[in-house]
Short mmCIF file of all heavy atoms in Angstrom, two decimals:
data_model
loop_
_atom_site.label_atom_id
_atom_site.label_comp_id
_atom_site.label_asym_id
_atom_site.label_seq_id
_atom_site.Cartn_x
_atom_site.Cartn_y
_atom_site.Cartn_z
N GLY A 661 -16.94 -10.09 13.63
CA GLY A 661 -17.35 -9.37 12.43
C GLY A 661 -18.85 -9.20 12.34
O GLY A 661 -19.35 -8.14 11.97
N TRP A 662 -19.58 -10.27 12.68
CA TRP A 662 -21.04 -10.20 12.66
C TRP A 662 -21.54 -9.16 13.66
O TRP A 662 -22.47 -8.40 13.38
CB TRP A 662 -21.63 -11.56 13.00
CG TRP A 662 -21.38 -12.61 11.98
CD1 TRP A 662 -20.41 -13.57 12.00
CD2 TRP A 662 -22.11 -12.81 10.77
NE1 TRP A 662 -20.48 -14.35 10.87
CE2 TRP A 662 -21.52 -13.91 10.11
CE3 TRP A 662 -23.20 -12.17 10.18
CZ2 TRP A 662 -21.98 -14.39 8.88
CZ3 TRP A 662 -23.66 -12.65 8.96
CH2 TRP A 662 -23.06 -13.74 8.32
N GLY A 663 -20.91 -9.13 14.83
CA GLY A 663 -21.32 -8.16 15.85
C GLY A 663 -21.08 -6.74 15.41
O GLY A 663 -21.92 -5.85 15.63
N LEU A 664 -19.93 -6.48 14.77
CA LEU A 664 -19.64 -5.14 14.28
C LEU A 664 -20.64 -4.71 13.21
O LEU A 664 -21.11 -3.57 13.20
CB LEU A 664 -18.22 -5.09 13.70
CG LEU A 664 -17.07 -5.08 14.70
CD1 LEU A 664 -15.74 -5.14 13.95
CD2 LEU A 664 -17.12 -3.84 15.59
N LEU A 665 -20.98 -5.63 12.31
CA LEU A 665 -21.93 -5.30 11.25
C LEU A 665 -23.31 -5.01 11.83
O LEU A 665 -23.97 -4.04 11.44
CB LEU A 665 -22.02 -6.44 10.25
CG LEU A 665 -23.03 -6.26 9.11
CD1 LEU A 665 -22.70 -5.02 8.29
CD2 LEU A 665 -23.06 -7.49 8.22
N ARG A 666 -23.75 -5.84 12.75
CA ARG A 666 -25.04 -5.62 13.39
C ARG A 666 -25.09 -4.26 14.08
O ARG A 666 -26.06 -3.51 13.94
CB ARG A 666 -25.33 -6.74 14.39
CG ARG A 666 -26.69 -6.64 15.06
CD ARG A 666 -26.93 -7.78 16.04
NE ARG A 666 -25.96 -7.75 17.13
CZ ARG A 666 -25.02 -8.66 17.32
NH1 ARG A 666 -24.89 -9.66 16.47
NH2 ARG A 666 -24.18 -8.57 18.35
N ASN A 667 -24.05 -3.93 14.80
CA ASN A 667 -24.01 -2.65 15.51
C ASN A 667 -23.97 -1.47 14.55
O ASN A 667 -24.59 -0.43 14.80
CB ASN A 667 -22.81 -2.60 16.45
CG ASN A 667 -22.92 -3.60 17.58
OD1 ASN A 667 -24.02 -4.08 17.89
ND2 ASN A 667 -21.80 -3.93 18.21
N ARG A 668 -23.24 -1.62 13.46
CA ARG A 668 -23.14 -0.54 12.48
C ARG A 668 -24.50 -0.22 11.88
O ARG A 668 -24.89 0.94 11.76
CB ARG A 668 -22.14 -0.91 11.37
CG ARG A 668 -21.98 0.15 10.30
CD ARG A 668 -20.76 -0.09 9.45
NE ARG A 668 -19.53 -0.06 10.23
CZ ARG A 668 -18.32 0.05 9.71
NH1 ARG A 668 -18.16 0.16 8.41
NH2 ARG A 668 -17.25 0.07 10.49
N PHE A 669 -25.22 -1.26 11.51
CA PHE A 669 -26.56 -1.05 10.96
C PHE A 669 -27.51 -0.46 12.00
O PHE A 669 -28.23 0.52 11.73
CB PHE A 669 -27.13 -2.38 10.44
CG PHE A 669 -28.59 -2.31 10.06
CD1 PHE A 669 -28.97 -1.73 8.87
CD2 PHE A 669 -29.57 -2.79 10.92
CE1 PHE A 669 -30.31 -1.64 8.52
CE2 PHE A 669 -30.92 -2.72 10.58
CZ PHE A 669 -31.29 -2.14 9.37
N TRP A 670 -27.49 -1.02 13.19
CA TRP A 670 -28.47 -0.61 14.19
C TRP A 670 -28.19 0.78 14.75
O TRP A 670 -29.11 1.49 15.16
CB TRP A 670 -28.56 -1.62 15.32
CG TRP A 670 -29.79 -1.42 16.14
CD1 TRP A 670 -29.87 -1.02 17.44
CD2 TRP A 670 -31.15 -1.58 15.69
NE1 TRP A 670 -31.18 -0.92 17.83
CE2 TRP A 670 -31.99 -1.26 16.77
CE3 TRP A 670 -31.72 -1.95 14.48
CZ2 TRP A 670 -33.37 -1.30 16.67
CZ3 TRP A 670 -33.11 -2.00 14.38
CH2 TRP A 670 -33.91 -1.68 15.47
N MET A 671 -26.95 1.21 14.76
CA MET A 671 -26.64 2.57 15.21
C MET A 671 -27.35 3.59 14.35
O MET A 671 -27.84 4.61 14.86
CB MET A 671 -25.13 2.80 15.18
CG MET A 671 -24.37 2.20 16.36
SD MET A 671 -22.57 2.43 16.21
CE MET A 671 -22.47 4.22 16.16
N ASP A 672 -27.44 3.35 13.05
CA ASP A 672 -28.15 4.27 12.16
C ASP A 672 -29.64 4.29 12.48
O ASP A 672 -30.26 5.35 12.51
CB ASP A 672 -27.95 3.86 10.69
CG ASP A 672 -26.57 4.20 10.17
OD1 ASP A 672 -25.94 5.12 10.72
OD2 ASP A 672 -26.12 3.53 9.21
N VAL A 673 -30.22 3.11 12.71
CA VAL A 673 -31.64 3.04 13.03
C VAL A 673 -31.94 3.76 14.34
O VAL A 673 -32.91 4.54 14.43
CB VAL A 673 -32.11 1.57 13.10
CG1 VAL A 673 -33.60 1.50 13.49
CG2 VAL A 673 -31.89 0.86 11.77
N GLU A 674 -31.11 3.54 15.34
CA GLU A 674 -31.32 4.21 16.63
C GLU A 674 -31.15 5.73 16.50
O GLU A 674 -31.87 6.50 17.14
CB GLU A 674 -30.34 3.66 17.66
CG GLU A 674 -30.70 2.26 18.14
CD GLU A 674 -29.82 1.81 19.28
OE1 GLU A 674 -28.61 2.14 19.27
OE2 GLU A 674 -30.33 1.14 20.20
N ALA A 675 -30.20 6.16 15.68
CA ALA A 675 -29.99 7.59 15.47
C ALA A 675 -31.21 8.22 14.79
O ALA A 675 -31.61 9.34 15.13
CB ALA A 675 -28.74 7.83 14.65
N LEU A 676 -31.81 7.51 13.85
CA LEU A 676 -33.03 8.00 13.21
C LEU A 676 -34.16 8.12 14.22
O LEU A 676 -34.90 9.11 14.24
CB LEU A 676 -33.44 7.07 12.07
CG LEU A 676 -32.54 7.06 10.82
CD1 LEU A 676 -32.96 5.94 9.87
CD2 LEU A 676 -32.60 8.41 10.10
N GLN A 677 -34.30 7.12 15.07
CA GLN A 677 -35.33 7.17 16.12
C GLN A 677 -35.11 8.36 17.04
O GLN A 677 -36.05 9.09 17.36
CB GLN A 677 -35.31 5.88 16.95
CG GLN A 677 -35.82 4.67 16.24
CD GLN A 677 -35.77 3.42 17.11
OE1 GLN A 677 -36.00 2.33 16.65
NE2 GLN A 677 -35.46 3.56 18.37
N SER A 678 -33.88 8.54 17.48
CA SER A 678 -33.56 9.65 18.39
C SER A 678 -33.82 11.01 17.75
O SER A 678 -34.12 11.99 18.44
CB SER A 678 -32.10 9.57 18.84
OG SER A 678 -31.87 8.38 19.56
N ALA A 679 -33.72 11.06 16.42
CA ALA A 679 -33.96 12.31 15.69
C ALA A 679 -35.45 12.54 15.43
O ALA A 679 -35.81 13.57 14.84
CB ALA A 679 -33.19 12.31 14.38
N GLY A 680 -36.29 11.60 15.87
CA GLY A 680 -37.73 11.82 15.78
C GLY A 680 -38.46 11.08 14.67
O GLY A 680 -39.65 11.31 14.47
N TYR A 681 -37.77 10.19 13.96
CA TYR A 681 -38.42 9.48 12.86
C TYR A 681 -39.00 8.14 13.33
O TYR A 681 -38.43 7.49 14.21
CB TYR A 681 -37.41 9.17 11.75
CG TYR A 681 -36.78 10.37 11.10
CD1 TYR A 681 -35.50 10.79 11.46
CD2 TYR A 681 -37.45 11.09 10.12
CE1 TYR A 681 -34.91 11.88 10.86
CE2 TYR A 681 -36.86 12.20 9.50
CZ TYR A 681 -35.59 12.58 9.88
OH TYR A 681 -34.99 13.66 9.28
N SER A 682 -40.09 7.75 12.72
CA SER A 682 -40.53 6.36 12.79
C SER A 682 -39.95 5.65 11.57
O SER A 682 -39.39 6.31 10.68
CB SER A 682 -42.06 6.28 12.80
OG SER A 682 -42.62 6.98 11.70
N TRP A 683 -40.09 4.31 11.53
CA TRP A 683 -39.43 3.62 10.43
C TRP A 683 -40.15 2.35 10.02
O TRP A 683 -40.93 1.78 10.77
CB TRP A 683 -37.97 3.30 10.75
CG TRP A 683 -37.69 2.63 12.07
CD1 TRP A 683 -37.24 3.23 13.21
CD2 TRP A 683 -37.81 1.23 12.40
NE1 TRP A 683 -37.06 2.32 14.22
CE2 TRP A 683 -37.41 1.08 13.74
CE3 TRP A 683 -38.21 0.11 11.69
CZ2 TRP A 683 -37.41 -0.16 14.40
CZ3 TRP A 683 -38.22 -1.13 12.34
CH2 TRP A 683 -37.82 -1.25 13.66
N THR A 684 -39.87 1.96 8.79
CA THR A 684 -40.26 0.64 8.28
C THR A 684 -39.02 0.01 7.68
O THR A 684 -38.29 0.67 6.92
CB THR A 684 -41.36 0.74 7.21
OG1 THR A 684 -42.57 1.19 7.81
CG2 THR A 684 -41.60 -0.62 6.56
N ILE A 685 -38.77 -1.24 8.02
CA ILE A 685 -37.65 -1.99 7.45
C ILE A 685 -38.23 -3.14 6.64
O ILE A 685 -39.05 -3.91 7.14
CB ILE A 685 -36.70 -2.49 8.54
CG1 ILE A 685 -36.01 -1.29 9.22
CG2 ILE A 685 -35.66 -3.45 7.98
CD1 ILE A 685 -35.13 -1.65 10.39
N ILE A 686 -37.80 -3.22 5.39
CA ILE A 686 -38.29 -4.25 4.47
C ILE A 686 -37.27 -5.38 4.39
O ILE A 686 -36.07 -5.14 4.22
CB ILE A 686 -38.50 -3.68 3.06
CG1 ILE A 686 -39.55 -2.56 3.08
CG2 ILE A 686 -38.92 -4.78 2.09
CD1 ILE A 686 -40.93 -2.99 3.48
N GLY A 687 -37.76 -6.62 4.52
CA GLY A 687 -36.89 -7.78 4.40
C GLY A 687 -37.45 -8.78 3.41
O GLY A 687 -38.66 -8.99 3.35
N HIS A 688 -36.59 -9.37 2.61
CA HIS A 688 -37.01 -10.37 1.64
C HIS A 688 -37.03 -11.76 2.26
O HIS A 688 -36.31 -12.02 3.24
CB HIS A 688 -36.09 -10.39 0.42
CG HIS A 688 -36.18 -9.14 -0.40
ND1 HIS A 688 -37.38 -8.58 -0.78
CD2 HIS A 688 -35.21 -8.34 -0.92
CE1 HIS A 688 -37.15 -7.50 -1.51
NE2 HIS A 688 -35.84 -7.33 -1.60
N MET A 689 -37.81 -12.63 1.67
CA MET A 689 -37.82 -14.04 2.06
C MET A 689 -37.36 -14.87 0.87
O MET A 689 -37.41 -14.43 -0.28
CB MET A 689 -39.22 -14.47 2.50
CG MET A 689 -39.74 -13.72 3.70
SD MET A 689 -41.34 -14.34 4.26
CE MET A 689 -40.85 -15.89 5.02
N THR A 690 -36.90 -16.07 1.17
CA THR A 690 -36.47 -16.98 0.12
C THR A 690 -36.97 -18.38 0.44
O THR A 690 -37.29 -18.69 1.60
CB THR A 690 -34.93 -16.99 0.01
OG1 THR A 690 -34.54 -17.78 -1.10
CG2 THR A 690 -34.29 -17.57 1.26
N GLU A 691 -37.07 -19.21 -0.58
CA GLU A 691 -37.50 -20.59 -0.38
C GLU A 691 -36.28 -21.48 -0.12
O GLU A 691 -35.24 -21.31 -0.74
CB GLU A 691 -38.27 -21.09 -1.60
CG GLU A 691 -39.62 -20.41 -1.77
CD GLU A 691 -40.44 -21.02 -2.88
OE1 GLU A 691 -39.86 -21.72 -3.73
OE2 GLU A 691 -41.67 -20.80 -2.91
N LYS A 692 -36.46 -22.42 0.80
CA LYS A 692 -35.37 -23.31 1.18
C LYS A 692 -35.94 -24.71 1.38
O LYS A 692 -37.03 -24.88 1.95
CB LYS A 692 -34.71 -22.82 2.47
CG LYS A 692 -33.53 -23.66 2.93
CD LYS A 692 -32.93 -23.09 4.21
CE LYS A 692 -31.74 -23.91 4.68
NZ LYS A 692 -31.17 -23.36 5.93
N THR A 693 -35.23 -25.69 0.91
CA THR A 693 -35.65 -27.08 1.09
C THR A 693 -34.99 -27.67 2.34
O THR A 693 -33.77 -27.59 2.50
CB THR A 693 -35.27 -27.93 -0.14
OG1 THR A 693 -35.90 -27.38 -1.30
CG2 THR A 693 -35.72 -29.37 0.04
N ILE A 694 -35.82 -28.21 3.23
CA ILE A 694 -35.30 -28.82 4.46
C ILE A 694 -35.84 -30.24 4.57
O ILE A 694 -36.83 -30.61 3.93
CB ILE A 694 -35.70 -28.00 5.71
CG1 ILE A 694 -37.23 -27.94 5.87
CG2 ILE A 694 -35.11 -26.61 5.66
CD1 ILE A 694 -37.67 -27.29 7.17
N ARG A 695 -35.18 -31.04 5.38
CA ARG A 695 -35.56 -32.44 5.56
C ARG A 695 -36.35 -32.57 6.85
O ARG A 695 -35.87 -32.22 7.93
CB ARG A 695 -34.30 -33.30 5.63
CG ARG A 695 -34.54 -34.80 5.52
CD ARG A 695 -34.72 -35.20 4.08
NE ARG A 695 -34.76 -36.65 3.94
CZ ARG A 695 -35.10 -37.26 2.83
NH1 ARG A 695 -35.41 -36.54 1.76
NH2 ARG A 695 -35.13 -38.57 2.74
N VAL A 696 -37.58 -33.06 6.77
CA VAL A 696 -38.44 -33.27 7.94
C VAL A 696 -39.05 -34.66 7.84
O VAL A 696 -39.73 -34.99 6.86
CB VAL A 696 -39.55 -32.21 8.01
CG1 VAL A 696 -40.45 -32.48 9.23
CG2 VAL A 696 -38.97 -30.81 8.10
N ASN A 697 -38.79 -35.48 8.88
CA ASN A 697 -39.32 -36.85 8.90
C ASN A 697 -38.99 -37.60 7.61
O ASN A 697 -39.85 -38.24 6.99
CB ASN A 697 -40.83 -36.84 9.14
CG ASN A 697 -41.20 -36.28 10.50
OD1 ASN A 697 -40.44 -36.43 11.46
ND2 ASN A 697 -42.34 -35.61 10.57
N LYS A 698 -37.74 -37.47 7.17
CA LYS A 698 -37.23 -38.15 5.98
C LYS A 698 -37.89 -37.69 4.68
O LYS A 698 -37.83 -38.37 3.66
CB LYS A 698 -37.39 -39.67 6.12
CG LYS A 698 -36.62 -40.27 7.30
CD LYS A 698 -36.79 -41.77 7.34
CE LYS A 698 -36.00 -42.35 8.53
NZ LYS A 698 -36.14 -43.85 8.59
N GLN A 699 -38.50 -36.52 4.72
CA GLN A 699 -39.10 -35.95 3.52
C GLN A 699 -38.57 -34.54 3.30
O GLN A 699 -38.38 -33.78 4.25
CB GLN A 699 -40.63 -35.92 3.62
CG GLN A 699 -41.28 -37.29 3.58
CD GLN A 699 -42.80 -37.19 3.55
OE1 GLN A 699 -43.36 -36.17 3.94
NE2 GLN A 699 -43.45 -38.23 3.07
N ASP A 700 -38.35 -34.20 2.03
CA ASP A 700 -37.93 -32.84 1.68
C ASP A 700 -39.16 -31.95 1.55
O ASP A 700 -40.11 -32.29 0.83
CB ASP A 700 -37.17 -32.84 0.35
CG ASP A 700 -35.80 -33.49 0.48
OD1 ASP A 700 -35.26 -33.50 1.59
OD2 ASP A 700 -35.29 -33.99 -0.54
N ILE A 701 -39.17 -30.85 2.28
CA ILE A 701 -40.26 -29.89 2.16
C ILE A 701 -39.68 -28.51 1.90
O ILE A 701 -38.54 -28.22 2.28
CB ILE A 701 -41.15 -29.85 3.42
CG1 ILE A 701 -40.34 -29.37 4.64
CG2 ILE A 701 -41.79 -31.20 3.68
CD1 ILE A 701 -41.21 -29.12 5.87
N THR A 702 -40.44 -27.69 1.22
CA THR A 702 -40.00 -26.33 0.90
C THR A 702 -40.62 -25.35 1.88
O THR A 702 -41.84 -25.34 2.08
CB THR A 702 -40.41 -25.95 -0.54
OG1 THR A 702 -39.80 -26.86 -1.45
CG2 THR A 702 -39.94 -24.54 -0.87
N VAL A 703 -39.78 -24.55 2.51
CA VAL A 703 -40.24 -23.54 3.46
C VAL A 703 -39.72 -22.18 3.03
O VAL A 703 -38.81 -22.09 2.20
CB VAL A 703 -39.76 -23.86 4.90
CG1 VAL A 703 -40.35 -25.16 5.40
CG2 VAL A 703 -38.23 -23.91 4.95
N GLN A 704 -40.30 -21.15 3.59
CA GLN A 704 -39.85 -19.79 3.29
C GLN A 704 -39.22 -19.18 4.54
O GLN A 704 -39.79 -19.28 5.64
CB GLN A 704 -41.03 -18.93 2.83
CG GLN A 704 -41.60 -19.39 1.49
CD GLN A 704 -42.77 -18.56 1.03
OE1 GLN A 704 -43.30 -17.73 1.76
NE2 GLN A 704 -43.19 -18.78 -0.21
N ARG A 705 -38.06 -18.58 4.37
CA ARG A 705 -37.30 -18.02 5.48
C ARG A 705 -36.81 -16.62 5.12
O ARG A 705 -36.55 -16.33 3.95
CB ARG A 705 -36.08 -18.89 5.80
CG ARG A 705 -36.43 -20.27 6.37
CD ARG A 705 -36.83 -20.14 7.83
NE ARG A 705 -37.01 -21.44 8.44
CZ ARG A 705 -38.16 -22.09 8.53
NH1 ARG A 705 -39.25 -21.55 8.00
NH2 ARG A 705 -38.23 -23.26 9.14
N PRO A 706 -36.67 -15.73 6.13
CA PRO A 706 -36.06 -14.42 5.85
C PRO A 706 -34.65 -14.58 5.32
O PRO A 706 -33.91 -15.47 5.74
CB PRO A 706 -36.07 -13.74 7.22
CG PRO A 706 -37.15 -14.43 7.99
CD PRO A 706 -37.13 -15.85 7.52
#
């Protein structure tokens, strides 16, 4: 399922490129708490 979704999205991007467009893709980030050396730290991830 993940592979199908990835291909579905990317086929559109490749088709836009082939049609002569350049592009910008915007992605959000979120904060996540992870455990490092027995301490909780907050990091930002896509």
Side-chain angles (χ1 to χ4, degrees):
W662 293 98
L664 285 176
L665 178 60
R666 183 179 63 248
N667 293 341
R668 179 165 299 195
F669 170 77
W670 195 247
M671 281 176 60
D672 286 335
V673 177
E674 287 187 323
L676 290 172
Q677 289 180 188
S678 297
Y681 299 100
S682 54
W683 50 259
T684 292
I685 294 175
I686 299 296
H688 292 313
M689 298 184 73
T690 186
E691 291 186 342
K692 181 179 181 181
T693 300
I694 62 174
R695 192 81 172 170
V696 179
N697 297 328
K698 299 182 180 181
Q699 291 186 339
D700 290 334
I701 63 171
T702 300
V703 296
Q704 294 179 350
R705 292 284 187 266

